[in-house]
Amino acid sequence: MNGDFDAGVIRELAGERVFERGEAYVDEGRVKGIKEQGDVITATVAGTQRYHVQLTLRDKGATAACDCPAAQEAAWCKHAVAVALAWLDRQDGDEPGARAVRTVDDLRAHLSRKDKAELVELLAELAEEHDPVRDRFLLDAAARPGAVDLRTFRRTIARTIRPRTFVDYHNMYDYTRHIDTVVDQIERLLKAGHAREVIDLTDFALEAMEDAMGSVDDSDGGMSPILERLQDLHHRACRRARPDPQALAARLFTWEMRTDWEIFLGAAATYADVLGQSGLAVYRQLAEREWADVPALGPGGKDSEQYGKRFRITQVMEALARATGDIEALVAVKSRDLSYAYHYLQIAETYRDANQPDKALEWAELGVKAFPERTDSRLRAFLAEEYHRRGRHDEAIGVIWNEFSDAPHLEQYQQLKRHADRVDQWPTWRDQALAYLRERADARSVEETRPRWSERLAWVARRDHSTLVEIFLWERDIETAWLEAQAGGCSPQLWLELAGKREKDHPEDAVSIYQAQIEPTLARKNNDAYEDAVELLRKVHRALKRMGREDEFAAYLATVRAKHKPKRNFMKLVDSAKWT
């Protein structure tokens, strides 16, 4: 093995932040099953799910591969770091000539040399000290060949999933890993042929999970894979056991209507192979009965159940309509809620996908008419495309102009250009758009120069040509962007962008911008702000040096030091900075 491969090499390969996270995983005991084959090391790491890592030691350093999403961008993810550090830990303390116990095979060989009574005592001690070990042994004993002890399974499930106190973020990993060990035992029951028992237990476990969600900090999403796994086990068990389809349909529908966690969402499609015609008929009957009580909503309408029960039954009814292939049935469901412009777009897209363009256009026009101001931008884009397709280009650009005038920003300006370019009308529309932006900026400037009280003693007047500056920067007209900023002001970010683009040929302009941004940056009073301020100082120094006025920097820096001397962390950064 490569003797040059150590923690320092790993830190260099992965970076400080990833290294620290991998180190934490080692401390938490998440690395499992380390195996060595020549220069190849493999292991699994328990994160939000189990990830597989392979390390290959090279003459200089090592290469890493992991099946987690982060490894697609950087091979040395936190899981790879954790495996590498855990492997290095096992190398420490090896005595010359001694055979280290490093792998599961080594451990198995060691345990095989102990007598039965000693092993029983060791396992009993582990069960007393570690709840997951105890529960695994209990459930293994409860999975009798003749009859499963469901009472023990339910008690263990309830004890494991329903927390006695709130489970905070730092304890969530151990909590979800414990649940996973219980689900492992339920899956073993299914493999052993106890499908009916698994239906009962997964149903019970899902209820416990639903109850527990309000008592845990699941900000990392560790509960979702368990919910998905239990639902998959339930479906697989139903496919084997073939429970009464009508009773199953009623149970699944009840779950869909009551849950806030999307448990059994889309059950009609998922369980179609189990429900059959009789089960689906019951499911549809229950859904239509629930749907009959859902009120129709027009533009701007509200329903207290809009994001709860209404949403769920709408999903169910749409799935049933799609299953029949009846477009009008699907539209009838969707048109029950026209409270948002986006819902008109969904109907228009449904007709477009069904090759009914005239109805698609009709619904898009209805949506824009129902929401004449600040309508959904996606609906306007759809309508414009339909007009272009019919050769009604003026109407198409008119729709996009309305979008621009409602939200006159760079993105809308770019969209206007794309549509105007299609009919070679961009110069005309560009002039109109720029005139509109200037008129709007001037009107705002007049309004805001009227005295208004702000904070304690300051009268505030703001000018802002940010959108115009953004547009000219996008068009690579730096000089005009600069003139607009001078005339009407712009955001700090745009001032800095302008400074960066003018620094080479107009360093005096860049210096004034950088200096103007230092005070508001330091006013944020945190370490990130202090680092940003030091970077601005470097830019001031660079621009002054370009003008041959480098000697001015020392005096300027002295004034900054004097004013911000109480900011000790900032002073440390200034003291350690290299002005090159």
Side-chain angles (χ1 to χ4, degrees), residues 3-15 19 60-62 76 88:
D4 296 330
F5 184 58
D6 58 17
V9 173
I10 300 168
R11 189 188 300 271
E12 185 177 344
L13 289 167
F19 181 87
K60 296 182 179 180
W76 281 90
L88 285 174

Side-chain angles (χ1 to χ4, degrees), residues 6 71 286 350 367 446:
D6 58 17
L286 292 169
T350 298
V446 170

Side-chain angles (χ1 to χ4, degrees), residues 139-140 142-150 153 185-202 233-234 236-238 240-241:
L139 296 182
D140 188 61
R144 301 166 184 164
V148 177
D149 180 359
L150 291 177
F153 264 92
Q185 294 302 114
I186 298 174
E187 186 164 16
R188 287 189 179 93
L189 283 182
L190 182 61
K191 291 176 180 177
H194 300 287
R196 289 194 176 276
E197 290 83 354
V198 170
I199 294 172
D200 178 279
L201 293 173
T202 51
L233 279 173
H234 185 276
R236 286 160 55 194
C238 286
R240 293 189 187 184

